[in-house]
Amino acid sequence: MLPLVALVGRPNVGKSRLFNRIVGRRLAIVEDTPGVTRDRQYAEADHAGRRFRVVDTGGFTPKAEEQLVRAVREQADAAIREADVLVLVVDAEQGLAGADRELAALLRKGGKPVLLAANKVDSTRRAEALDLGELHSLGFDVFPLSAEHGRGVSELLDAAVEELPPRSEEEDAQPEEGPEARPGGPVRLAVVGRPNVGKSTLLNRLLGEERFVAAAMPGTTRDAVEESTRHGGRTFVLVDTAGLRKKRQVTDKVEVFSAQRALRAVERADVVAARHLQHVGYAPLVFVSALEGTRVQRILDLAAELHDQAATRLKTPELNDWVQRTQDEHPAPLWRGYPVRFSYAVQVGVRPISIAIQCNRPQAVDEAYRRFLVNRFRERFQLHVPVRLVLRQKSRSTPRGRGERA
Ligand code: GDP
């Protein structure tokens, strides 16, 4: 059996939204009516290379105070019995209710790791305005997040994954990452762009054969088509997409950006398409002419390079050294007169490269400084791939070695 993470909380705090967010599919039913009874929902999920199950311990129907107390007990008992990690979900907008405190007390007695998800913190503004003092008083690590918008959820999952028991034999039998994730492994290259910019022609050049049907009519290529080819001793899987409409599918793939940039050159001038590219300013730019085949092969070399970069594992001392230097040179802005300091940094994942840094006031770090850190990080380690930065609350209690294990 895969390890289990249980979401516990009184009705309407956003458990099923969070569940859906974690499992990535809309499995649990979300009802706007408080206290709608549901069956428990189980689903598999994965994060940072670990697979686990998630359970939404479901709703109870508190008609009377007495029933509420019983329902809360049952929910907590079941979660403690079954799960490896407990996530107590509360509504940070509303603040703590009696049932939250009751659940917290029960969970604390259970002796299993408990993380506190402070839900409905929908924006950085809200996060800054929020007084986490009350939530911290429960004695668990607090993760401000928005199940609705997804912000903060991966920080919660990073911590949850670290609290999971060591990988079982069953899990070990399954590869942590597919062969595509390994440096030197097959490279998936998605080509995206507006219709008619020359995607199919470029793909044909890359393949060296007329395998994609290039048609002059806009919008001919509808669904993603895959073909593989070899270049420089490696396998490339080329994916022709229906264009930027399939955003999610393509943004998952690092290599996409080099092609995207490359395509800019063959695109007719289009301001909107230039705007789409702003957020990938770190991606290499290749000028090509798909028709003439000039430098087209260079795209494959670059894609391979980026593919391997995204799987880089950096040494912790180098990371820590970088963090210290960076904040010494350019400290984060003061927060209400207090310094914001970063301490321990560790890499917690690849593809995308994910870095966790402990901070005394994570919620006080604004987007601009986060971007600055990420840009500096890319510069220092010469990376041209997406980087995910996670800021973690430096725990005030005795650390349980969190971070060192990753
Ligand atoms: P559950 O009873 O704890 O499972 O709560 P639900 O997931 O059914 O959510 C209860 C209500 O809170 C719904 O109306 C959701 O749309 C809303 N909600 C859930 N998460 C968020 C969030 O992150 N931000 C905001 N603003 N609303 C949320």
Side-chain angles (χ1 to χ4, degrees):
M1 277 289 240
L2 289 171
L4 182 68
V5 174
L7 307 182
V8 183
R10 66 184 166 84
N12 246 30
V13 290
K15 289 185 300 300
S16 45
R17 272 283 197 284
L18 183 57
F19 177 89
N20 284 326
R21 181 59 72 180
I22 296 170
V23 306
R25 278 166 292 151
R26 309 207 125 248
L27 277 185
I29 309 148
V30 180
E31 291 280 348
D32 279 337
T33 333
V36 174
T37 316
R38 301 180 289 260
D39 287 323
R40 290 171 173 229
Q41 300 270 0
Y42 288 86
E44 276 189 27
D46 57 73
H47 182 79
R50 279 302 296 271
R51 281 171 61 228
F52 51 93
R53 289 172 305 140
V54 193
V55 57
D56 172 1
T57 52
F60 35 83
T61 323
K63 291 213 183 69
E65 190 60 22
E66 180 196 327
Q67 279 174 310
L68 174 73
V69 172
R70 183 150 35 95
V72 164
R73 286 237 154 92
E74 280 167 13
Q75 194 197 23
D77 283 348
I80 292 166
R81 208 170 42 239
E82 283 185 75
D84 301 284
V85 177
L86 310 168
V87 176
L88 174 58
V89 188
V90 300
D91 183 333
E93 281 292 302
Q94 282 195 357
L96 293 182
D100 296 323
R101 294 181 193 282
E102 169 97 25
L103 268 172
L106 291 168
L107 296 185
R108 198 177 300 118
K109 276 187 225 149
K112 297 235 168 125
V114 181
L115 307 172
L116 186 73
N119 191 28
K120 310 198 185 179
V121 185
D122 293 346
S123 65
T124 313
R125 271 248 295 292
R126 291 300 310 141
E128 278 166 16
L130 202 68
D131 178 10
L132 293 176
E134 191 198 20
L135 300 179
H136 277 297
S137 73
L138 293 179
F140 308 126
D141 284 354
V142 179
F143 297 87
L145 53 88
S146 169
E148 188 84 37
H149 301 286
R151 68 189 301 281
V153 174
S154 60
E155 281 84 347
L156 172 77
L157 292 180
D158 284 337
V161 160
E162 278 178 24
E163 297 288 0
L164 293 179
R167 288 162 66 89
S168 64
E169 278 173 31
E170 180 203 359
E171 273 182 277
D172 273 337
Q174 320 232 3
E176 183 179 328
E177 294 151 341
E180 286 177 4
R182 284 197 303 270
V187 178
R188 284 176 69 85
L189 174 68
V191 177
V192 294
R194 286 183 305 106
N196 254 25
V197 292
K199 289 192 298 297
S200 302
T201 318
L202 176 62
L203 280 158
N204 287 331
R205 283 289 162 194
L206 292 171
L207 284 169
E209 290 172 38
E210 295 279 313
R211 259 189 287 180
F212 284 89
V213 187
M217 258 169 34
T220 318
T221 329
R222 270 276 125 76
D223 295 306
V225 186
E226 295 192 10
E227 291 278 353
S228 55
T229 187
R230 306 237 345 139
H231 170 76
R234 294 181 73 153
T235 303
F236 291 79
V237 180
L238 304 181
V239 188
D240 187 6
T241 68
L244 291 171
R245 273 164 293 152
K246 295 206 165 186
K247 237 184 187 156
R248 183 164 156 69
Q249 185 188 347
V250 294
T251 47
D252 277 351
K253 295 174 186 115
V254 173
E255 298 79 22
V256 87
F257 298 127
S258 63
Q260 202 170 19
R261 278 268 155 152
L263 276 164
R264 192 161 76 157
V266 289
E267 269 185 9
R268 288 183 224 116
D270 180 335
V271 178
V272 179
R275 229 183 9 224
H276 274 300
L277 290 169
Q278 267 178 11
H279 69 285
V280 288
Y282 52 83
L285 176 58
V286 198
F287 289 96
V288 294
S289 164
L291 268 179
E292 286 156 32
T294 324
R295 297 182 52 123
V296 157
Q297 301 300 316
R298 171 81 184 118
I299 292 179
L300 293 181
D301 295 332
L302 252 176
E305 211 175 298
L306 296 181
H307 172 276
D308 293 352
Q309 263 189 26
T312 310
R313 290 188 188 271
L314 300 158
K315 294 200 177 70
T316 303
E318 282 180 22
L319 280 173
N320 280 313
D321 187 57
W322 165 76
V323 168
Q324 293 315 328
R325 268 169 207 266
T326 307
Q327 70 175 342
D328 287 348
E329 283 167 30
H330 292 277
L334 294 179
W335 183 74
R336 298 179 186 169
Y338 294 103
V340 175
R341 296 292 295 171
F342 303 93
S343 44
Y344 192 78
V346 69
Q347 182 170 352
V348 291
V350 291
R351 304 178 62 83
I353 291 180
S354 305
I355 305 299
I357 308 179
Q358 286 197 348
C359 175
N360 59 348
R361 296 181 173 86
Q363 73 277 17
V365 181
D366 63 11
E367 284 305 316
Y369 195 79
R370 278 171 189 264
R371 260 200 309 277
F372 163 77
L373 283 178
V374 168
N375 288 338
R376 272 302 179 95
F377 176 79
R378 277 205 200 91
E379 259 168 55
R380 162 67 181 82
F381 296 99
Q382 297 182 14
L383 299 169
H384 298 277
V385 290
V387 169
R388 193 168 69 93
L389 176 70
V390 181
L391 296 180
R392 285 192 191 153
Q393 178 72 53
K394 187 169 185 257
S395 41
R396 272 163 262 197
S397 53
T398 332
R400 275 166 294 177
R402 170 170 297 166
E404 271 90 350
R405 268 176 283 162

